[in-house]
Amino acid sequence: MDRERFEELVSEALDEVPEELLGLMSNVVILVEDDPPAGDPHLLGLYEGYALTNRGWDYAGVLPDRITIYRNPTLRICESEDDVVDEVAVTVVHEIAHHFGIDDARLHELGWD
């Protein structure tokens, strides 16, 4: 799958997130990269920044948080385009959850592995 189609799937996954939730997101950008950082070749997505629950009165003047979705590792674990659609949707929700301060343990409890 080429990068353009993968980016479309990320956009479609974002379209499925309830508008009320997207409206609560603050100072965050969502990106697509081909490969994750060296040393973590299986990483599908990454949230970098200050979760909303960790922002205090002194949160100001900072660069946007980043949610990055990685194309190549996602494609490696998927057998069909339908698998990619599902995996991208889960990864997008997973990383948005981190923006709201939900950690991996809680996501696991909720069934978002």
Side-chain angles (χ1 to χ4, degrees), residues 31-61:
L31 308 167
V32 171
E33 296 290 339
D34 287 334
D35 295 301
D40 207 349
H42 305 294
L43 190 65
L44 304 181
L46 181 64
Y47 171 74
E48 299 171 286
Y50 298 95
L52 293 176
T53 55
N54 294 333
R55 295 179 185 180
W57 62 269
D58 59 345
Y59 179 83

Side-chain angles (χ1 to χ4, degrees), residues 12-85:
E12 290 171 10
L14 287 168
D15 288 344
E16 295 300 316
V17 176
E19 192 64 39
E20 302 83 35
L21 195 59
L22 288 176
L24 296 173
M25 293 176 66
S26 174
N27 198 31
V28 62
V29 63
I30 299 173
L31 308 167
V32 171
E33 296 290 339
D34 287 334
D35 295 301
D40 207 349
H42 305 294
L43 190 65
L44 304 181
L46 181 64
Y47 171 74
E48 299 171 286
Y50 298 95
L52 293 176
T53 55
N54 294 333
R55 295 179 185 180
W57 62 269
D58 59 345
Y59 179 83
V62 298
L63 293 174
D65 293 3
R66 295 168 45 121
I67 291 175
T68 308
I69 309 299
Y70 298 107
R71 184 174 71 96
N72 288 331
T74 303
L75 297 179
R76 280 194 293 272
I77 66 167
C78 294
E79 295 181 11
S80 68
E81 183 163 322
D82 286 342
D83 291 344
V84 176
V85 169

